[in-house]
Amino acid sequence: MYQYDEFDADFVQERAVQFGRQVEDRLAGKITEEQFRPLRLMNGLYLQLHAYMLRINVPYGCLNSTQMRKLAHIARVFDKGYGHLTTRQNMQFNWIKLSDMPAILLELASVEMHGIQSSGNCIRNITADEYAGSAADEIEDPRVYCEILRQWSSLHPEFSFLPRKFKIAVSGSDRDRAVIKAHDIGLRLHKNEAGEAGFEVFVGGGLGRTPFIGKSIRDFLPTQHVLSYCEAILRVYNQLGRRDNKYKARIKILVHEMGADVFGEKVEKEWAEIRETALELADSETARIRGFFAPPAHEKLDDDDSDLAGDPAFATWVEQQTAGHKKPGYTIVNVSCSPVGKPPGDISAAQMDGFADLADTYNFGEMRVTHNQNLVLTDVRKKDLLPLWQKLVTLGLATPNHGLISDTICCPGLDYCALANARSIPLAEKLSERFADQQKQKDIGEIYLNMSGCINACGHHHIGNIGIVGVDKKNSELYQLMLGGSAEEDASLGKILGRGFDEDGIVDAVECVINTYIELREAGEKFIETYRRVGPDPFKEKVYSAPA
Amino acid sequence: MPLLRDGKITEDPYTRVVGSDELPGEGPILVDLSRWQAERDALVAWGSEVGVQLAADESPAAIALDLEHIALVALEFPAFTDGRAYSYARLLRERHRFEGELRAVGDVLIEQLHFMDRVGFDSFDMKSAEAAEEWKTAQADMSVWYQPTGDERATATRLRRS
Amino acid sequence: MHQVVIANRLTDGIVVFLGREPEWLEGLENCQPAQDAAQAEALLARGAAAEAEQFVVGPELIEVELREGVWVPVKMREAMRSRGPSVRSDLGKQAEN
């Protein structure tokens, strides 16, 4: 993975020292909350329901074991012994003291980490496919361009006060595991007829209160122009994006109101002016960055699956949690952080430390965070799967629910978040308990169940095959049910099925939806396929005819 | 408002002429875009420097062809969160090759000065006279830059190559 | 209507409450809520003063009611703040009692 050189290290260290000084000024009463708020947000520090919350960037989901141990240390010393993996591949701590922040930032800087731009109306952490570099279906490694974009976006002088926050995701495989069409900019690496790599560029995707699927404005952008093209998009948006209403300030509204064609023309016109500037990537620079993402020292192995049977629990886990790797004898391992009945994405300091050890032993010291709030080991020898699984069992990280209904995406909700209207975690816990039976889950098959505690949609409810959003109705929690969303290359937005439910009612309603699917499905048909074939009506009928 | 230029608080030689206010007898003046557009010929003939102030929704494209007659462009930040003028500044400097004074006015905070400095502003309408000292401290905060802008500062990418 | 002031303490962000007693309290149990608009206004003024002194952030009045002999916030959001996350009964104020 990428390693800081002196410039990157100085940058993060200087920023840590600067924010440390600002915190001291605040604690000494030299600046007011009004003055301090934008400063702390630009460094990832929120004030939530119970305490300060610090969001730490995990650049495009890549972590090494040293960094994970540092996060464990921070959890233990400065927080309450755990962290939370977010849908933007970051980690959050919920119980931070302001007075500890200077020390925490220096600790983070020592392992090349920080919270810069994890909040604020700027370019946020760039996200990517969690299988990058290892996926069997990969065309080009997106991390190279993520890192180039990360550096370019860091304290960008022109784009630090945008109309609203700005999220960029990059995918380099046939299958979209980075939800690129729900981002302000989505970049899809592919190859043209000449075999050269380039990006299809999507703009204006996003969830929140007005969800949109991103629209393609360019089929093929040669890779050396990625910065100039993004700069052109941002420049058009920075000048023309709405600033009169923060709910209409995201680029998706501009693209929608202007039309993607017109927006695309403006971008192309701006791009023509700046494409041949210092923003054009030199081959030597791309090659330098690519060097950091060279594959690890894989051994030459036979692709032997014979050891993978045996213990049925192990076999189940292997079947559910592993994915195809480029190299024979290797596999990608999905590690679920959504155990049945527990908050999705929460991970204890002991689990962080234990997992860091496993990454050292079995995965060249590296790991990934996924937008599904799970972890991934990208380069595991198949023959190591049994001991790896045994140790994951001990750590409580061996739930075999990847892509199944209990592997939910869930925002912190009203249990932690100052913006939330309703709780979401208890719902995720109850639903995962309702569908805990492994056989039942396997029978239901691939399905994505996403839930948010408010319309801001941090829990990606619009793009879950089943989505749930909590609202506050006269001081009690009400949950609305949406069906038909998808986060992948066939991205679509779910539609609300009908009136909302209370907490128990929504769990029953989801079960009813699942039972209806099982009744209606044709052989081999996934939930989303059945839904697309039959539409919402059969589901509506069943869900709302059930006795109240 | 104290004017920060070249690292120190200096006297502002310009008289700000808001809207259709009467022009002073002589000396440098800073007028609104609408005034410039309405009285362009008379202002071109003004015996001293003329500056034009653009509101946040007024693109510098409106004066791009007139820049040879304009000594100062003032770009307004109605709130520090409104970052349109960062793009306008770069367009003025890098696209339209404006070489006169580029001034930030409105909600200008110390913490923004390094961004403004990088996009081409060279004078700043500050809220207090202590600003100059505070800016000296803040200026030393960051020494690494990743983005090529018109200010010609060496980026990390360029320094790595050398 | 009974009201107290709720806020986060500046240094550590911990939720604190202010009733008619002299000090800010970390729990609501021993709070003496304002019982009328005039008392509430006085509490809010003390909250604003504490914010000006950089002791707390975001003071606001919230409604509380007696349930089983204890004062609790009426709204879900503030109830959460007065207890801690419902999904982690080992954390927050609920864990300290």
Side-chain angles (χ1 to χ4, degrees), chain A residues 323-364:
Chain A
H325 198 283
K326 279 176 176 174
K327 294 278 176 192
Y330 283 84
T331 185
I332 295 169
V333 175
N334 290 288
V335 176
S336 174
C337 296
S338 301
V340 171
K342 298 281 187 215
D346 277 10
I347 177 167
S348 71
Q351 287 175 320
M352 292 183 220
D353 274 336
F355 193 69
D357 291 346
L358 297 183
D360 278 340
T361 309
Y362 300 112
N363 204 54
F364 304 94

Side-chain angles (χ1 to χ4, degrees), chain A residues 66 151 175 205 241 245 291 301 328 415 446 452 467 475 492 495 506:
Chain A
T66 308
Q151 294 189 22
R175 186 145 183 201
N245 178 342
L301 297 172
D415 280 298
E446 185 181 308
S452 311
N475 202 34
S492 60
K495 289 200 174 63
I506 190 78

Side-chain angles (χ1 to χ4, degrees), chain A residues 475, chain C residues 2 62-65 67 72-79:
Chain A
N475 202 34
Chain C
H2 295 89
I62 60 163
E63 197 183 337
V64 294
E65 63 188 8
R67 264 185 236 157
V72 290
V74 171
K75 295 267 187 200
M76 285 189 298
R77 186 172 183 276
E78 278 74 38

Side-chain angles (χ1 to χ4, degrees), chain A residues 42-54:
Chain A
M42 280 191 252
N43 288 283
L45 189 67
Y46 288 73
L47 190 50
Q48 293 285 24
L49 292 183
H50 311 295
Y52 292 96
M53 181 271 275
L54 175 62

Side-chain angles (χ1 to χ4, degrees), chain A residues 220-235:
Chain A
F220 191 83
L221 176 74
T223 51
Q224 71 267 27
H225 296 305
V226 68
L227 292 185
S228 56
Y229 205 81
C230 286
E231 188 143 308
I233 292 171
L234 265 299
R235 183 169 287 165

Side-chain angles (χ1 to χ4, degrees), chain B residues 75-95:
Chain B
L75 298 177
E76 198 188 336
F77 290 82
F80 78 89
T81 48
D82 188 330
R84 281 175 280 190
Y86 294 102
S87 287
Y88 297 160
R90 290 195 67 190
L91 289 171
L92 279 165
R93 291 292 194 213
E94 297 168 42
R95 179 118 353 128

Side-chain angles (χ1 to χ4, degrees), chain B residues 54-66:
Chain B
L54 301 181
D57 60 355
E58 292 171 341
S59 163
I63 51 170
L65 300 175
D66 292 341

Side-chain angles (χ1 to χ4, degrees), chain A residues 148-301:
Chain A
I148 287 167
L149 285 161
R150 185 193 72 80
Q151 294 189 22
W152 161 81
S153 65
S154 295
L155 295 187
H156 196 299
E158 188 179 346
F159 305 133
S160 290
F161 298 92
L162 296 167
R164 201 73 179 84
K165 58 188 169 184
F166 203 90
K167 301 173 181 177
I168 303 176
V170 192
S171 154
S173 290
D174 288 336
R175 186 145 183 201
D176 176 12
R177 285 173 289 262
V179 207
I180 61 170
K181 290 183 192 171
H183 282 77
D184 297 285
I185 295 179
L187 298 170
R188 184 179 76 87
L189 273 163
H190 63 120
K191 287 196 170 154
N192 64 8
E193 283 169 6
E196 299 152 333
F199 296 97
E200 182 177 11
V201 182
F202 295 88
V203 294
L207 305 176
R209 71 179 64 204
T210 321
F212 285 106
I213 298 295
K215 303 186 180 59
S216 176
I217 57 166
R218 184 167 248 279
D219 292 334
F220 191 83
L221 176 74
T223 51
Q224 71 267 27
H225 296 305
V226 68
L227 292 185
S228 56
Y229 205 81
C230 286
E231 188 143 308
I233 292 171
L234 265 299
R235 183 169 287 165
V236 171
Y237 168 57
N238 189 41
Q239 294 179 80
L240 300 179
R242 285 181 62 171
R243 293 179 187 264
D244 57 328
N245 178 342
K246 77 169 183 174
Y247 301 118
K248 297 187 174 178
R250 294 286 292 269
I251 195 175
K252 61 191 175 186
I253 304 291
L254 179 67
V255 170
H256 175 72
E257 289 182 350
M258 183 181 273
D261 291 348
V262 177
F263 182 82
E265 282 163 23
K266 287 189 188 293
V267 170
E268 292 284 329
K269 194 165 164 234
E270 179 60 36
W271 183 51
E273 299 272 359
I274 59 174
R275 57 187 286 179
E276 275 142 32
T277 61
L279 286 171
E280 184 170 350
L281 297 175
D283 290 345
S284 58
E285 176 61 8
T286 311
R288 189 184 77 86
I289 301 284
R290 194 182 300 282
F292 288 105
F293 300 103
H298 292 120
E299 299 164 34
K300 251 197 147 75
L301 297 172

